[in-house]
Amino acid sequence: MVFSFAYGSVGWEFMEVMRLVVTGPVGAGKSTFIRSISEIDVVDTDRDATDETSQLKKKTTVAMDFGRVNMGEDMALHLYGTPGQSRFDFMWDVLIRKAHAYILLVPANRPGEFRNARVISNFMRQRTKAPMVIGFTHLDCPGAWTMENMAIALGYGSPLIKRPAMVEVNPTESMSVATAIMALIEHL
Amino acid sequence: MINSEKLNSILQNFVTGVSDIQGAAIVTPDGLSLSSVLGAGMDEERVAAMSAAMLSLGERIGSELARGTVDRILIEGDTGYGFLTNCGSDAVLLVLAHQSAKQGLVQLEIKRLASELKLMFK
């Protein structure tokens, strides 16, 4: 963890800033996750989707999302959301390098994205030793896989492979997002 | 319907016609290539995504830091320039120029090119 100056409630002060990256494939709920919990207006970079993403949603993140949450008097969480498409992997690289921890969101109802989730987690693992938590989203949607089956699909089937913490998260509910963030902080 | 042949030829003429221009690309605001004339070793897909990311961040800075609507973003490196220009709501123009380029000239040419492209994307 780092200490740095940040603009807090009483002006510039010594504040602990923890940077968390929210990553995962397209449509996992990364931007929603940050919007649900940020105490500031989220800095987003949404643009109209024109690729296959447009079948899923109208807008897509092209650079990053940024949100902030204060944790008590002297600590702030900075949340950075990545784009989901691999053509933006230079943004994954930029954002992960300074992250203290990251959460990989995986949409449970779209097994076609599990492969992309693995691509992203491999990409991150090659660049950071920061802890990762996997957050499964869309578990209440039709066709959602069970967490156990997804763990296997993501390559954590063998008992010989250490599993990262896995949580269920609904990005539209701030309480659920808060719980996921707490899980992430516990692993620091 | 966008005439992609025409788009390519406009871009090709621009790159070959203006001195010290090293490449140009037209991309969608969500980072997909529409047309490009780039030097060897430059990946079209990456160039497109980077252009869109940079312009969106720049536009966000423009609004958040009260700079108004962003017309252009300039990247000045020690071996050359990168110019990003908004061409309406459907296209972003990236122009790469050599460090020896006359900035005023390049910017004037980009302005002309951008207005020509804007008509195509209407």
Side-chain angles (χ1 to χ4, degrees):
Chain A
M1 227 172 274
V2 286
F3 287 92
S4 61
F5 282 100
Y7 197 71
S9 48
V10 292
W12 289 97
E13 58 193 319
F14 218 30
M15 242 189 164
E16 204 170 14
V17 173
M18 204 163 69
R19 288 182 293 271
L20 303 181
V21 162
V22 183
T23 190
V26 172
K30 302 175 290 296
S31 299
T32 308
F33 183 99
I34 294 177
R35 270 186 215 121
S36 290
I37 197 136
S38 177
E39 290 166 3
I40 58 165
D41 274 348
V42 172
V43 176
D44 61 43
T45 54
D46 283 0
R47 287 296 177 269
D48 286 345
T50 62
D51 56 358
E52 63 275 9
T53 308
S54 61
Q55 287 158 19
L56 194 68
K57 53 179 187 170
K58 202 173 172 301
K59 300 254 179 190
T60 194
T61 301
V62 300
M64 61 178 223
D65 293 311
F66 174 73
R68 197 182 72 190
V69 186
N70 283 328
M71 307 272 286
E73 293 268 292
D74 53 2
M75 187 174 159
L77 292 183
H78 286 187
L79 297 167
Y80 293 89
T82 71
Q85 297 90 341
S86 60
R87 64 177 181 274
F88 294 108
D89 63 2
F90 59 92
M91 285 307 304
W92 302 352
D93 186 56
V94 166
L95 295 173
I96 201 63
R97 290 193 183 271
K98 290 193 167 183
H100 296 109
Y102 61 109
I103 183 164
L104 175 74
L105 297 183
V106 181
N109 61 337
R110 299 217 322 282
E113 295 293 350
F114 298 166
R115 202 187 144 266
N116 293 330
R118 287 181 77 154
V119 167
I120 296 170
S121 78
N122 288 338
F123 185 98
M124 298 305 186
R125 246 198 324 269
Q126 282 168 14
R127 287 163 178 82
T128 181
K129 290 202 159 41
M132 173 182 78
V133 165
I134 297 180
F136 293 113
T137 65
H138 297 74
L139 280 156
D140 54 348
C141 294
W145 284 36
T146 64
M147 283 177 55
E148 182 55 35
N149 283 342
M150 283 188 283
I152 294 166
L154 293 176
Y156 300 107
S158 159
L160 300 172
I161 296 169
K162 193 174 167 285
R163 275 192 191 189
M166 296 180 183
V167 295
E168 195 176 314
V169 54
N170 182 344
T172 63
E173 282 174 18
S174 57
M175 278 311 291
S176 176
V177 172
T179 310
I181 287 178
M182 289 317 292
L184 193 53
I185 293 173
E186 269 169 33
H187 285 88
L188 284 174
Chain B
M1 216 31 197
I2 292 166
N3 185 337
S4 87
E5 254 172 55
K6 194 178 168 201
L7 204 56
N8 290 341
S9 80
I10 290 175
L11 218 53
Q12 188 70 57
N13 286 341
F14 176 80
V15 173
T16 49
V18 183
S19 60
D20 292 319
I21 298 290
Q22 294 172 309
I26 301 164
V27 312
T28 63
D30 66 332
L32 297 165
S33 182
L34 292 167
S35 175
S36 75
V37 180
L38 295 164
M42 261 188 222
D43 182 71
E44 187 179 26
E45 196 187 35
R46 279 179 84 78
V47 168
M50 282 188 179
S51 304
M54 185 76 196
L55 188 69
S56 74
L57 270 182
E59 285 178 344
R60 191 67 204 217
I61 288 168
S63 64
E64 202 111 335
L65 306 184
R67 302 301 94 192
T69 309
V70 171
D71 282 333
R72 187 171 51 232
I73 291 168
L74 165 62
I75 297 138
E76 194 170 345
D78 60 1
T79 59
Y81 301 98
F83 299 87
L84 279 162
T85 313
N86 217 335
C87 287
S89 58
D90 294 318
V92 174
L93 169 67
L94 170 78
V95 172
L96 301 174
H98 191 258
Q99 119 206 72
S100 62
K102 297 240 184 303
Q103 253 207 67
L105 181 86
V106 173
Q107 297 211 13
L108 193 66
E109 293 293 344
I110 288 174
K111 217 168 157 181
R112 279 187 194 157
L113 177 63
S115 46
E116 189 177 358
L117 292 171
K118 271 181 194 164
L119 290 175
M120 285 191 74
F121 287 102
K122 266 214 173 119

